[in-house]
Structures are given as structure tokens and as C-alpha cells.
Amino acid sequence: MSDSLLLVRHPPVAQRWTGRCYGQSDAGWSRAGQRLASELADRLCLTGPALVVHSGLQRTRRLAEMVASRSRCAIRAGATDPACTSIRYME
């Protein structure tokens, strides 16, 4: 097995957030995002992850939890590392 890093963007956010910069706002998924998340989690499990890291925001955490649960791997919030968080607009 080789070491690799796979970066994944969260599924589409709820319609009320569409077209807005939501940065650190905790935007939830759209209905389409909910369907996509399940499919994406299944596909990501096929890669055999050893660790899933997420930003701590619900839109990333929920997907990370799905992948970690299905693949039985470790999960960690990377929110303490600025490289793992979204840009904080309006601060």
C-alpha cells in the first residue's frame, strides 16, 4: 500500500447558501448534496482510507463520519490547523 492524500470538497450546500461566500458559516447540504454524500462516501471507502480529516464544520464532518464509519478508519477534526479550515470572511 502506498501513502497518498486525497482532497475532497463537501457536497453542494443548501440552496439558501448558493452564490454566497459562506467560508466558516456552518452551511448544511442541499437535498442533492445529501444524495451525493452517500454515493461519495461509498466511492471513497473503496480507496481504503487509514484516516479521514475534516474541518469540523457540519458540511465536512458529516461526510467524514460517513466515510470513517463505513471504512472503519480513524477520523480527526483538523480545525486547529489553519490549513484545514475555510477562509473566514467578514472578520
Side-chain angles (χ1 to χ4, degrees):
M1 182 174 140
S2 65
D3 291 334
S4 61
L5 172 66
L6 180 62
L7 300 176
V8 178
R9 183 161 170 78
H10 57 79
V13 295
Q15 187 171 354
R16 70 184 183 103
W17 292 98
T18 301
R20 296 171 49 190
C21 290
Y22 41 84
Q24 286 287 310
S25 299
D26 216 358
W29 298 334
S30 65
R31 286 186 185 106
Q34 292 171 12
R35 287 188 300 274
L36 179 62
S38 184
E39 296 170 15
L40 184 56
D42 287 341
R43 291 179 60 196
L44 290 170
C45 288
L46 297 176
T47 67
L51 173 66
V52 178
V53 179
H54 62 88
S55 71
L57 296 174
Q58 86 172 313
R59 64 182 177 265
T60 62
R61 185 189 68 245
R62 288 173 57 201
L63 179 59
E65 288 171 346
M66 291 169 78
V67 174
S69 173
R70 294 177 189 187
S71 62
R72 296 187 177 106
C73 71
I75 184 172
R76 185 179 77 210
T80 57
D81 183 345
C84 294
T85 60
S86 299
I87 295 171
R88 295 171 190 238
Y89 292 99
M90 312 280 286
E91 285 187 2

